[in-house]
Amino acid sequence: MSSTEPRRTALDALHRSLGATMTDFAGWDMPLRYGSERDEHNAVRTRAGLFDLSHMGEITVTGPQAAELLNFALVGNIASVGVGCARYTMICQADGGILDDLIVYRLGETEYLVVANASNAQVVLDALTGRAAGFDAEVRDDRDAYALIAVQGPQAPGILASLTDADLDGLKYYAGLPGTVAGVPALIARTGYTGEDGFELFVAPSHAEALWQALTKAGEPAGLVPCGLSCRDTLRLEAGMPLYGHELSRELTPFDAGLGRVVKFEKEGDFVGREALAEAATRAAENPPRVLVGLIAEGRRVPRAGYAVVAGGEVIGEVTSGAPSPTLGRPIAMAYVDPAHATPGTAGVGVDIRGSHEPYEVVALPFYKRQK
């Protein structure tokens, strides 16, 4: 197979049999939608949706100094993560720019699973491998060892509970435990990227189809539907969750992105980017950077990434993500804007959509928050 051919997940044939519209995403052939992306979106908000996320990049870090390596390579305090728990963190360049945002699961005393975005998996793998020099730890590319299936939505706990004996009630948000689902060994995680409750199931690729079919059957009475990447994007946008390449990039530090809380200066030892990030933190305190805000359209025109945010004839920011919101019934966007225009309700803010300044309301993120 030539290197230009997209990679296919273990569920590729199944997606096609379901009539999925496929698209190239970060070198993978992935389902964009199966039918109506609005219906898929609404199913996750009100019932449940089933996602193939096998394009995500899994990297295993093991060995006596695995925790020390990850503390040095990443900005978070990974050594303080308990076994069975997970942490959202970032890997930065020496200059503080964000290489990727990650979830790290501690599977055992000396074993961690790092999950990277599909588009950055190789970059993260290369960076971790390079930064492992001098540590008694091994970095392993496990992208081919896992398929990843997510079931998201208010009905997700009930659906999964019917297929596993694992203690789902005891599995808190940002945790992961080994278990068996429909007879398939899995790492059961509860991290989510939709704004809803739900679970991610890391399994061997050879078990993916059986698990998908079992979840489909168990979820049928609850109204579960297969969901593509298109509704995943509108779901995470409504939930105010950043996407690498949109709200996060190498040009931004965590402090520029309003996520300085993930940088743990108090942890022991040096870490890549510490000096630059300390300067970024000081800079942000003295001269606040642009703020990530929500924008809700007063009209019907949809803003897209890269569109200018304007006020009083001046450019005051830039849209990072925009789409019609099925839940709100209006177009929405996330944008970085000058602090002077970041307060919810700020008057006179618009988005330049092909030369026309369309009025937008500035709101606090997220647009949508589920009822606990």
Side-chain angles (χ1 to χ4, degrees):
M1 193 166 94
S2 79
S3 58
T4 55
E5 289 261 333
R7 297 180 69 175
R8 298 187 171 189
T9 78
L11 295 165
D12 185 79
L14 193 147
H15 297 316
R16 292 169 196 277
S17 74
L18 292 171
T21 299
M22 305 297 286
T23 187
D24 177 61
F25 184 84
W28 288 81
D29 221 8
M30 298 297 295
L32 189 63
R33 70 182 76 81
Y34 297 84
S36 155
E37 50 205 55
R38 176 182 292 269
D39 289 349
E40 291 171 24
H41 178 110
N42 290 334
V44 176
R45 284 277 176 261
T46 60
R47 305 186 307 275
L50 194 57
F51 296 85
D52 179 8
L53 305 179
S54 302
H55 60 313
M56 300 295 280
E58 295 88 5
I59 301 162
T60 302
V61 180
T62 55
Q65 290 189 305
E68 289 90 336
L69 163 58
L70 289 170
N71 262 15
F72 170 71
L74 312 179
V75 301
N77 187 355
I78 308 305
S80 68
V81 178
V83 174
C85 296
R87 184 154 298 165
Y88 176 78
T89 186
M90 294 182 183
I91 183 167
C92 289
Q93 303 176 133
D95 68 2
I98 302 166
L99 280 175
D100 200 14
D101 61 333
L102 311 164
I103 296 177
V104 180
Y105 298 91
R106 188 168 194 168
L107 304 183
E109 205 54 47
T110 60
E111 183 179 6
Y112 296 82
L113 180 65
V114 178
V115 182
N117 285 296
S119 55
N120 293 327
Q122 191 63 48
V123 169
V124 173
L125 177 67
D126 292 345
L128 286 175
T129 302
R131 295 173 189 186
F135 289 94
D136 187 4
E138 181 197 350
V139 176
R140 189 172 71 235
D141 180 0
D142 268 349
R143 282 176 287 181
D144 292 335
Y146 290 104
L148 177 56
I149 295 172
V151 54
Q152 294 278 306
Q155 298 293 327
I159 293 167
L160 193 59
S162 72
L163 295 172
T164 183
D165 293 334
D167 178 17
L168 300 183
D169 290 338
L171 185 68
K172 301 304 181 196
Y173 190 52
Y174 264 75
L177 84 167
T180 303
V181 182
V184 170
L187 169 65
I188 306 169
R190 197 174 202 163
T191 48
Y193 190 59
T194 61
E196 298 300 335
D197 193 7
F199 302 87
E200 297 74 47
L201 307 169
F202 294 85
V203 299
S206 58
H207 291 146
E209 195 164 326
L211 180 58
W212 180 282
Q213 300 286 24
L215 286 162
T216 298
K217 189 176 178 186
E220 205 172 341
L224 174 138
V225 300
C227 294
L229 293 183
S230 186
C231 83
R232 184 170 155 85
D233 192 48
T234 52
L235 289 159
R236 71 91 195 168
L237 177 55
E238 288 184 351
M241 294 177 168
L243 176 63
Y244 195 90
H246 290 258
E247 288 71 40
L248 309 174
S249 72
R250 295 184 186 209
E251 284 66 53
L252 297 174
T253 72
F255 295 94
D256 297 322
L259 291 166
R261 64 181 180 274
V262 306
V263 182
K264 303 300 181 189
F265 292 115
E266 69 276 14
K267 65 179 174 177
E268 280 183 36
D270 195 15
F271 63 90
V272 177
R274 178 192 273 274
E275 199 174 316
L277 288 167
E279 289 172 12
T282 303
R283 204 163 53 239
E286 293 170 355
N287 182 22
R290 284 181 166 177
V291 180
L292 189 66
V293 300
L295 299 174
I296 300 180
E298 292 181 20
R300 310 302 306 170
R301 299 184 75 185
V302 178
R304 298 297 181 191
Y307 285 12
V309 182
V310 292
E314 300 288 319
V315 174
I316 57 144
E318 185 176 301
V319 171
T320 52
S321 297
S325 164
T327 305
L328 276 64
R330 288 197 281 171
I332 59 172
M334 287 200 281
Y336 282 112
V337 302
D338 294 344
H341 296 87
T343 306
T346 300
V349 173
V351 175
D352 186 340
I353 300 181
R354 299 186 189 89
S356 171
H357 290 187
E358 302 287 329
Y360 274 74
E361 179 189 355
V362 178
V363 299
L365 291 169
F367 299 97
Y368 167 86
K369 203 165 191 176
R370 72 184 170 96
Q371 302 302 308
K372 300 284 184 187

